[in-house]
Amino acid sequence: MAYSVAVAGASGYAGGELLRLLAGHPEFDVRTVTANSNAGARLLDVQPHLRSLAHLTLVETTPETLSGHDIVFLALPHGKSGELTSHLPADTLVVDCGADHRLVSEEDWAAFYGGDYYGAWAYGVPELPLAGGAAGQKQRDRLVGARRIAAPGCNASTVSLALAPGIRAGVIEAADIVAVLAVGPSGAGKSLTNANLASEILGSANPYAIGGVHRHIPEIAQNLRWAGAVAPTISFTPVIVPMSRGILATSTARIVPGTSAAAVRAAWEEAYANEPFVQVLPAGQFPRTADVLGANTALIGLAVDEAAGRVVTVTAVDNLAKGTAGAAIQSANIALGLPETSGLSVNGVAP
Amino acid sequence: MAYSVAVAGASGYAGGELLRLLAGHPEFDVRTVTANSNAGARLLDVQPHLRSLAHLTLVETTPETLSGHDIVFLALPHGKSGELTSHLPADTLVVDCGADHRLVSEEDWAAFYGGDYYGAWAYGVPELPLAGGAAGQKQRDRLVGARRIAAPGCNASTVSLALAPGIRAGVIEAADIVAVLAVGPSGAGKSLTNANLASEILGSANPYAIGGVHRHIPEIAQNLRWAGAVAPTISFTPVIVPMSRGILATSTARIVPGTSAAAVRAAWEEAYANEPFVQVLPAGQFPRTADVLGANTALIGLAVDEAAGRVVTVTAVDNLAKGTAGAAIQSANIALGLPETSGLSVNGVAP
Amino acid sequence: MAYSVAVAGASGYAGGELLRLLAGHPEFDVRTVTANSNAGARLLDVQPHLRSLAHLTLVETTPETLSGHDIVFLALPHGKSGELTSHLPADTLVVDCGADHRLVSEEDWAAFYGGDYYGAWAYGVPELPLAGGAAGQKQRDRLVGARRIAAPGCNASTVSLALAPGIRAGVIEAADIVAVLAVGPSGAGKSLTNANLASEILGSANPYAIGGVHRHIPEIAQNLRWAGAVAPTISFTPVIVPMSRGILATSTARIVPGTSAAAVRAAWEEAYANEPFVQVLPAGQFPRTADVLGANTALIGLAVDEAAGRVVTVTAVDNLAKGTAGAAIQSANIALGLPETSGLSVNGVAP
Amino acid sequence: MAYSVAVAGASGYAGGELLRLLAGHPEFDVRTVTANSNAGARLLDVQPHLRSLAHLTLVETTPETLSGHDIVFLALPHGKSGELTSHLPADTLVVDCGADHRLVSEEDWAAFYGGDYYGAWAYGVPELPLAGGAAGQKQRDRLVGARRIAAPGCNASTVSLALAPGIRAGVIEAADIVAVLAVGPSGAGKSLTNANLASEILGSANPYAIGGVHRHIPEIAQNLRWAGAVAPTISFTPVIVPMSRGILATSTARIVPGTSAAAVRAAWEEAYANEPFVQVLPAGQFPRTADVLGANTALIGLAVDEAAGRVVTVTAVDNLAKGTAGAAIQSANIALGLPETSGLSVNGVAP
């Protein structure tokens, strides 16, 4: 039996990736695709790579067009889902790929986003360890049966996955985390800004949101606190590089003095031992973003730098797949009790 | 009056960039270009972009072919210059773009390079501040009149320039530095390895030399010690991204508690106030590698992240220009008493 | 019931793409992967993006390791399959992604490849029209029940698909075809040559095999003759551009005088009316290679340039997918009587 | 003695490249830079790579701000220079990088551009041969002493340079020319369109203006007629590829029956024998765009494809340098009687 699905914001990059993945999901049936300025166009005119969805036409994003589906995926600009979703039935599964419902702290929301705060929904990077409960608890537990889900931010889930195991196991310090990310420009969506022009990005590495202002910082801190961190501090710097997709996050943290290199590695390997979508590479191996292109996979390479006193993790994620659309579908699978891997590939498209 | 010049290793990327810059230098006249497997070929067959040097033919790299010039630039693989240069006259200016003569510590050499150690030469990133002497001393002082010069490593000079002012001024700590660099593959030269293939690098971000093993780490530490650091520790991670040239280094350090943001910024602005080739951008601005493509310029953007307790510097350098060949020519200008900017452009080729 | 499958040459790009697609095929079960210098390695060490095949280890490419499977896919260098496959049972389905068995003319083989000629196998770009028989005949008819199949060359199938409908319908001339292709470097495989280095290809467009020497020329001519051309002549120029995958072929031919623009377009639309994998875009639309990344789709845009007297077709294909591995699997589906689309996606991974 | 210079449209890519080259010109002194929406900004805020011009501030583009200079370079959108320049003194040298004054046929203007037609100015690709006069005449002759110059279009000059020698020498036919160009997106300027976004262009090849509608077609025809063509027809297809700059034009034409391959090659070699900026590569060599990055050089590789009956030329040009800004400065040098090569480099920035 297929669930009926609507995708709001279907003309953007996140919406397009949702549709690409949904088209291959055995249980989900996309019935409605909505857009704003592109409403009225054939989906194929806006997303010419989605050949199997040639029959769909974009309609306006309204409570009416979204109603009557089992599942609604939202890929809207930040600040657009709060009002809209208040009109949807409570038993509709709504998965929001935007930031509106991720943060539990209204203060964080005000400091990093601003505007009306609509409150947090069930948030989950399924594989992230949770402190304070039974051993082995993870964020996925919070998604089971949920009907309002805030899918995580791409950079936030990448850095959180990279460091939470060490926090949870008590082998690294949450103070003085440093993360620097090479990211593709698709994370910025289709905004028509000078900085997003191809000529600006080709052949160049361009930093942005430097010095503690990036909006994913409070989300990472929230995840790490849930993993047991007391007062995490995170220096976070994203650098746009000339690849359309991908995040390669170098996330480092100080090792708790006296911890052996083996104990450090063991924390990660145990945390993700049975996870299909989060894999720790053998010692000496590190991932490339091409390895996860289009896949719902996060690959983590890890080294202990004894001279620097830091663990260095390098994590590769496709920002649109595992970082956004794949995460959203994985969440929906969990919420509905489907196999968590339904419709999601672990294999990247390389080279 | 023109100085006669030989370039050894003229068929590689560093050699090619030396020649491109030398071709525009008003005082230098390239007479001899040498190579190894390409000896006998026209230069233009190997470096087809160097149209103004169509008259040159590659000869073998030997003491004989290099002798009889005022200046010899070496762009050889590591380990190749020590023996070779012992045969060159003491009054010939030899500038080595390789690593053989950079490190003053034989122990560091053994740990990070290995093989015979031929001793350190005059080393200098001209703009780097020096501690312990008169105010305002810089590494350029060591190059004046020198006849054996070790040009700095590209990543090393980038990270050193990024952080030395704060060390020298006492506003940042040398312990727990973290640097992550987006770098182009030309830094790896023309080595025929799988990792250097275009298909591996296009559309992907690929880390390498992770966890404290990169060879530029001891060179950065050496520079920072010369700037006043006592026991620097550096977590250093380079990430190859799909641009042929360029380094964008995100280099962060803990701010000494109690230091104001203004004092932090002032340290950098004062250190580089009169430097043509190292420029600190206004608050809120950060460089892109395209801004320095082909130029002898290092651009530094700086932010104080008070929540993280760190200064974040983002530094853009062209690894082949200011990072290697430009640095070598700048050193030669200083050694010979020429205007330091001779033959070197501050303007990048963008977009 | 699953067919057992072996892939020879599993460490290259074509082999990797075969495995990526086979991993998602509902009827095929990869049991054996073979390599040459990489024999003995875990598949994941060589193809780190193929996470679902973590259990496989590369073995040597020999008749023994390949025997005992229902299907053997060969992704070997040209000239390597002839001898090897003579040792495989006649009822094993062997699909060769190399060139050894594509050309029916030994003279063409000698002129463009050289070395031993092992004879032509069933060759088929399924969607290509065939002249001389019943209306609507296509190359797929030749693949039904075949047990030795030569999968087409990537550039050859792209240009052939682009022009064969016009030849078959008699609306374009086969003399004086001109095709210029923007291609990604993965088509050259993992050869360690200077021309394949990332630094050579990033930020540059590099032509190769110019002036009538490219090996796909006789294959295109063969396809066009089968579509009804008498004496095709083809000016064919490939240009490597900085994208890992993809072919964008601009293929032009003179319109037969007196033919209306509508009749030209109709020839293409009719030829591919019911083809899932070859789609003609509406007038005014043209494809991009990103639209077909990872997909088994060829997209064709077409314009009639009346001033120039030529039809201009622009065709996008993923050289590794529809161009090689997808074509091979599609052929196997046809040979075995499976649904032709099994395990093959029409949707590209964009952006 | 320095000429005073104003650059109108200094915030765009063509304007930026003009300034980069002018900054190195020994006789030209940039006094005024103008813009539209960026008026009032420091030049460096808009063109951060032009470090040597840090003293300049953008002012509005008006007859008043442009008056009082010896030379005015215009890098304005098409249609903007006609009215503006009517207000400038007749003895000011005005070089227009836009299309407004290139076409001598008002009918061509109306068909391909539309809007008011302001008449043709002295147009010149200096190296292009002219028919009908003394042997050896070239377009540069028309620029000597001119005070109103229309700099050529980038694609137009590339294809014209590629084929005019064969037309002039009578060895190729002007009917049925086919040109396909791989071009970087900087040619489209900073227009904020979806098609110009980095995510659309990275990893993809995207055609545009297909089927006889590109605006450079009548300009090529004009150049070829001036070289002796009677009724040229040109199939012209540009393909945007992921490099910021560069044009690699594959331009082919039918060889006049009975012409020897040697005679074909000789036509090109003789036409450009003494040209510093247009160079014909030896047989078997072909250029890459990286070879001419930032240079005022056009490199032409040529092959005779006897089977196809066509000459195939591959020409590399930097669209912003030799294609636009370099061409404009070269024209100004000629007009003023300066050495033609002043301020212009023949060497590309590679890799």
Side-chain angles (χ1 to χ4, degrees):
Chain A
M1 192 222 82
Y3 293 86
S4 66
V5 173
V7 173
S11 57
Y13 294 139
E17 186 70 357
L18 274 166
L19 290 169
R20 188 182 71 84
L21 296 174
L22 289 167
H25 195 293
E27 308 287 341
F28 292 168
D29 180 23
V30 177
R31 303 260 173 89
T32 301
V33 289
T34 82
N36 186 3
S37 61
N38 287 303
R42 288 195 317 152
L43 177 65
L44 220 49
D45 291 340
V46 180
Q47 306 277 20
H49 60 300
L50 299 176
R51 310 307 300 177
S52 75
L53 303 176
H55 56 288
L56 293 174
T57 293
L58 292 158
V59 297
E60 262 199 89
T61 306
T62 67
E64 290 70 35
T65 57
L66 296 177
S67 289
H69 300 86
D70 300 316
I71 317 174
V72 175
F73 289 100
L74 304 174
L76 301 171
H78 300 315
K80 295 291 181 197
S81 84
E83 163 68 9
L84 182 70
T85 54
S86 64
H87 298 287
L88 297 180
D91 62 348
T92 301
L93 172 56
V94 181
V95 184
D96 186 5
C97 295
D100 294 17
H101 306 284
R102 290 178 193 153
L103 297 180
V104 298
S105 156
E106 184 164 359
E107 193 181 339
D108 279 349
W109 176 264
F112 284 85
Y113 290 90
D116 291 337
Y117 176 65
Y118 283 88
W121 287 355
Y123 171 98
V125 181
E127 302 85 354
L128 279 180
L130 289 176
Q137 265 204 312
K138 293 198 168 171
Q139 289 196 7
R140 72 162 49 83
D141 305 341
R142 300 174 172 181
L143 299 171
V144 178
R147 286 299 173 268
R148 290 291 185 276
I149 293 177
C154 55
N155 300 306
S157 55
T158 304
V159 175
S160 301
L161 285 167
L163 294 178
I167 298 287
R168 180 70 184 90
V171 299
I172 61 170
E173 299 178 3
D176 216 12
I177 286 166
V178 178
V180 180
L181 297 82
V183 301
S186 60
K190 293 188 174 176
S191 325
L192 297 179
T193 66
N194 193 66
N196 285 343
L197 290 177
S199 298
E200 302 293 317
I201 287 173
L202 285 160
S204 190
N206 302 2
Y208 77 101
I210 297 149
V213 300
H214 195 283
R215 290 170 160 185
H216 286 185
I217 294 173
E219 189 178 339
I220 298 168
Q222 178 174 288
N223 281 326
L224 297 184
R225 279 194 300 265
W226 285 338
V230 177
T233 66
I234 303 148
S235 169
F236 178 95
T237 310
V239 175
I240 295 178
V241 301
M243 57 189 189
S244 56
R245 298 179 173 217
I247 296 172
L248 195 85
T250 302
S251 311
T252 81
R254 284 205 299 258
I255 297 169
V256 170
T259 312
S260 72
V264 171
R265 171 164 284 277
W268 272 258
E269 290 184 345
E270 286 166 20
Y272 299 132
N274 299 307
E275 294 293 349
F277 292 129
V278 182
Q279 304 189 14
V280 180
L281 301 184
Q285 292 190 11
F286 295 88
R288 311 166 305 170
T289 58
D291 295 333
V292 298
L293 188 96
N296 199 50
T297 309
L299 295 180
I300 304 177
L302 180 149
V304 170
D305 183 341
E306 301 202 353
R310 284 190 169 254
V311 64
V312 181
T313 63
V314 179
T315 307
V317 160
D318 181 327
N319 58 306
L320 293 179
K322 176 63 173 164
T324 303
I329 291 170
Q330 187 181 353
S331 289
N333 287 341
I334 295 170
L336 297 170
L338 299 170
E340 191 169 329
T341 58
S342 281
L344 298 169
S345 174
V346 293
N347 294 336
V349 180
Chain B
M1 191 223 81
Y3 294 84
S4 66
V5 173
V7 173
S11 56
Y13 293 140
E17 186 69 355
L18 274 165
L19 291 169
R20 187 181 72 85
L21 297 174
L22 289 166
H25 195 293
E27 307 288 340
F28 292 168
D29 180 23
V30 177
R31 302 263 173 86
T32 300
V33 289
T34 81
N36 186 3
S37 60
N38 287 302
R42 290 193 319 152
L43 177 64
L44 221 48
D45 292 339
V46 180
Q47 306 277 20
H49 60 299
L50 300 176
R51 311 308 299 177
S52 76
L53 303 177
H55 56 287
L56 293 173
T57 294
L58 292 159
V59 297
E60 261 198 89
T61 306
T62 66
E64 291 69 34
T65 58
L66 296 176
S67 288
H69 300 85
D70 299 316
I71 316 173
V72 175
F73 290 99
L74 304 174
L76 302 171
H78 301 317
K80 294 293 181 194
S81 85
E83 162 69 9
L84 182 71
T85 55
S86 65
H87 299 286
L88 298 179
D91 63 347
T92 300
L93 171 55
V94 182
V95 184
D96 186 4
C97 295
D100 295 17
H101 306 285
R102 291 179 192 151
L103 298 180
V104 298
S105 156
E106 185 165 358
E107 194 182 338
D108 279 349
W109 176 264
F112 284 84
Y113 291 90
D116 291 337
Y117 176 65
Y118 284 88
W121 287 357
Y123 171 99
V125 182
E127 301 86 354
L128 278 181
L130 288 176
Q137 265 203 314
K138 293 198 168 170
Q139 288 196 5
R140 73 162 49 82
D141 304 342
R142 299 174 173 180
L143 299 171
V144 178
R147 286 300 174 267
R148 291 292 185 275
I149 293 176
C154 54
N155 300 307
S157 56
T158 304
V159 175
S160 301
L161 285 166
L163 294 177
I167 299 286
R168 180 71 185 89
V171 300
I172 60 170
E173 299 178 4
D176 214 12
I177 287 166
V178 179
V180 180
L181 297 82
V183 302
S186 60
K190 294 188 175 177
S191 324
L192 297 179
T193 67
N194 192 67
N196 285 342
L197 290 178
S199 299
E200 302 293 316
I201 287 173
L202 285 160
S204 189
N206 303 1
Y208 76 101
I210 297 149
V213 300
H214 194 283
R215 290 169 160 187
H216 286 185
I217 293 173
E219 190 178 339
I220 298 168
Q222 178 173 289
N223 280 327
L224 297 184
R225 279 192 300 266
W226 284 339
V230 177
T233 64
I234 303 148
S235 170
F236 178 95
T237 310
V239 176
I240 296 179
V241 301
M243 58 189 188
S244 56
R245 299 180 172 215
I247 296 172
L248 194 86
T250 301
S251 311
T252 82
R254 285 205 298 257
I255 297 170
V256 169
T259 312
S260 73
V264 171
R265 171 164 285 276
W268 271 259
E269 290 184 345
E270 287 165 19
Y272 299 131
N274 300 307
E275 294 293 349
F277 293 129
V278 182
Q279 304 188 17
V280 180
L281 301 184
Q285 292 191 11
F286 295 88
R288 310 166 305 170
T289 58
D291 295 333
V292 298
L293 187 95
N296 200 51
T297 309
L299 295 180
I300 304 177
L302 180 149
V304 170
D305 183 340
E306 301 203 354
R310 285 191 167 252
V311 64
V312 181
T313 63
V314 178
T315 307
V317 159
D318 180 326
N319 58 306
L320 293 179
K322 176 62 174 165
T324 303
I329 291 170
Q330 188 181 352
S331 288
N333 287 341
I334 295 170
L336 298 169
L338 298 170
E340 192 169 326
T341 59
S342 282
L344 298 170
S345 175
V346 293
N347 294 337
V349 180
Chain C
M1 190 222 84
Y3 294 85
S4 66
V5 173
V7 173
S11 58
Y13 294 139
E17 186 71 354
L18 275 166
L19 291 169
R20 187 181 73 82
L21 296 174
L22 290 167
H25 195 294
E27 307 287 340
F28 293 169
D29 180 24
V30 177
R31 303 261 174 87
T32 301
V33 289
T34 81
N36 186 2
S37 61
N38 286 304
R42 289 193 319 152
L43 177 66
L44 220 49
D45 293 339
V46 180
Q47 306 278 21
H49 60 301
L50 300 177
R51 311 307 300 178
S52 75
L53 303 176
H55 56 288
L56 293 173
T57 294
L58 292 157
V59 297
E60 263 199 270
T61 306
T62 66
E64 290 70 33
T65 57
L66 297 177
S67 288
H69 300 85
D70 298 317
I71 316 173
V72 175
F73 290 99
L74 303 174
L76 301 171
H78 300 316
K80 295 292 181 196
S81 84
E83 162 69 8
L84 182 69
T85 53
S86 65
H87 298 287
L88 298 180
D91 62 348
T92 300
L93 171 56
V94 181
V95 183
D96 185 5
C97 295
D100 294 17
H101 306 285
R102 291 178 193 153
L103 298 179
V104 299
S105 155
E106 185 164 358
E107 193 182 339
D108 280 349
W109 175 264
F112 284 85
Y113 291 90
D116 291 338
Y117 176 63
Y118 285 88
W121 287 355
Y123 171 98
V125 182
E127 301 86 354
L128 279 180
L130 288 177
Q137 266 204 314
K138 294 199 167 171
Q139 288 196 8
R140 72 163 49 84
D141 304 342
R142 299 175 172 181
L143 300 171
V144 178
R147 287 299 174 266
R148 289 292 186 275
I149 293 177
C154 54
N155 299 306
S157 55
T158 304
V159 175
S160 301
L161 285 167
L163 294 177
I167 298 287
R168 179 71 185 89
V171 299
I172 60 170
E173 299 178 3
D176 215 12
I177 286 166
V178 178
V180 180
L181 296 82
V183 300
S186 60
K190 294 188 173 175
S191 326
L192 297 179
T193 66
N194 192 67
N196 286 343
L197 290 177
S199 299
E200 301 294 316
I201 287 172
L202 284 160
S204 190
N206 302 2
Y208 76 101
I210 297 149
V213 300
H214 195 283
R215 289 170 160 186
H216 285 184
I217 293 174
E219 189 178 338
I220 298 168
Q222 178 174 288
N223 281 326
L224 297 184
R225 279 192 301 265
W226 284 339
V230 177
T233 66
I234 303 148
S235 170
F236 178 95
T237 309
V239 175
I240 295 178
V241 301
M243 57 188 189
S244 56
R245 299 178 172 216
I247 296 172
L248 195 86
T250 302
S251 311
T252 81
R254 284 205 300 256
I255 297 170
V256 170
T259 312
S260 72
V264 171
R265 171 165 285 276
W268 272 258
E269 290 183 346
E270 286 165 21
Y272 299 133
N274 299 308
E275 294 293 351
F277 293 129
V278 181
Q279 304 189 16
V280 180
L281 300 184
Q285 292 191 11
F286 295 88
R288 311 165 305 169
T289 58
D291 295 333
V292 297
L293 188 96
N296 200 50
T297 309
L299 295 180
I300 304 176
L302 179 150
V304 170
D305 184 340
E306 301 203 353
R310 284 191 169 254
V311 65
V312 182
T313 62
V314 179
T315 307
V317 159
D318 180 327
N319 57 306
L320 294 179
K322 175 64 173 164
T324 303
I329 292 170
Q330 188 181 352
S331 289
N333 288 340
I334 295 170
L336 298 170
L338 298 170
E340 191 169 327
T341 59
S342 282
L344 298 169
S345 174
V346 294
N347 295 336
V349 180
Chain D
M1 193 224 82
Y3 294 85
S4 65
V5 174
V7 173
S11 57
Y13 294 139
E17 186 69 355
L18 274 165
L19 291 169
R20 187 181 73 84
L21 297 174
L22 290 166
H25 195 294
E27 307 288 341
F28 292 168
D29 180 23
V30 178
R31 303 261 174 86
T32 300
V33 288
T34 81
N36 187 2
S37 61
N38 286 302
R42 291 193 318 152
L43 177 65
L44 221 48
D45 292 340
V46 180
Q47 305 277 21
H49 60 299
L50 300 176
R51 311 306 301 177
S52 75
L53 303 177
H55 56 288
L56 293 173
T57 294
L58 291 159
V59 297
E60 262 198 88
T61 306
T62 67
E64 290 69 35
T65 57
L66 296 177
S67 288
H69 300 86
D70 300 316
I71 317 173
V72 175
F73 289 99
L74 304 174
L76 302 171
H78 300 316
K80 295 292 182 196
S81 86
E83 163 68 9
L84 182 71
T85 54
S86 66
H87 299 287
L88 298 180
D91 63 347
T92 300
L93 171 55
V94 181
V95 184
D96 186 5
C97 295
D100 294 17
H101 307 284
R102 290 178 192 152
L103 297 179
V104 298
S105 156
E106 185 166 358
E107 192 181 340
D108 280 349
W109 175 264
F112 284 84
Y113 290 90
D116 290 338
Y117 177 64
Y118 284 88
W121 287 357
Y123 172 99
V125 182
E127 301 86 354
L128 279 180
L130 289 176
Q137 265 203 313
K138 294 199 168 170
Q139 288 196 5
R140 73 163 49 82
D141 303 343
R142 299 175 172 179
L143 299 171
V144 178
R147 287 299 174 266
R148 291 291 186 276
I149 293 177
C154 55
N155 299 307
S157 55
T158 304
V159 175
S160 300
L161 284 166
L163 294 178
I167 298 286
R168 180 72 184 90
V171 299
I172 59 170
E173 299 178 3
D176 215 11
I177 286 166
V178 178
V180 180
L181 297 82
V183 302
S186 61
K190 294 188 175 176
S191 324
L192 296 179
T193 66
N194 192 67
N196 286 342
L197 290 178
S199 299
E200 301 294 316
I201 287 172
L202 284 159
S204 189
N206 303 1
Y208 76 101
I210 297 149
V213 299
H214 195 282
R215 290 170 159 186
H216 286 185
I217 293 173
E219 190 178 339
I220 298 168
Q222 179 174 286
N223 281 327
L224 297 184
R225 279 192 300 265
W226 285 338
V230 177
T233 66
I234 303 147
S235 170
F236 177 94
T237 309
V239 176
I240 296 179
V241 301
M243 58 188 189
S244 56
R245 300 179 172 215
I247 296 171
L248 194 86
T250 301
S251 311
T252 82
R254 284 205 297 257
I255 297 169
V256 170
T259 312
S260 72
V264 171
R265 171 164 284 276
W268 271 259
E269 290 183 346
E270 285 166 19
Y272 299 132
N274 300 306
E275 294 294 351
F277 293 129
V278 182
Q279 303 189 16
V280 180
L281 301 185
Q285 292 190 13
F286 295 87
R288 310 166 305 170
T289 59
D291 295 334
V292 298
L293 187 96
N296 200 51
T297 309
L299 295 181
I300 303 176
L302 181 150
V304 170
D305 182 341
E306 302 203 353
R310 286 191 167 253
V311 64
V312 181
T313 63
V314 179
T315 307
V317 160
D318 180 327
N319 58 306
L320 294 178
K322 176 63 173 164
T324 303
I329 291 170
Q330 187 181 353
S331 288
N333 287 341
I334 295 169
L336 298 168
L338 298 171
E340 192 170 326
T341 59
S342 281
L344 298 169
S345 175
V346 293
N347 294 336
V349 180

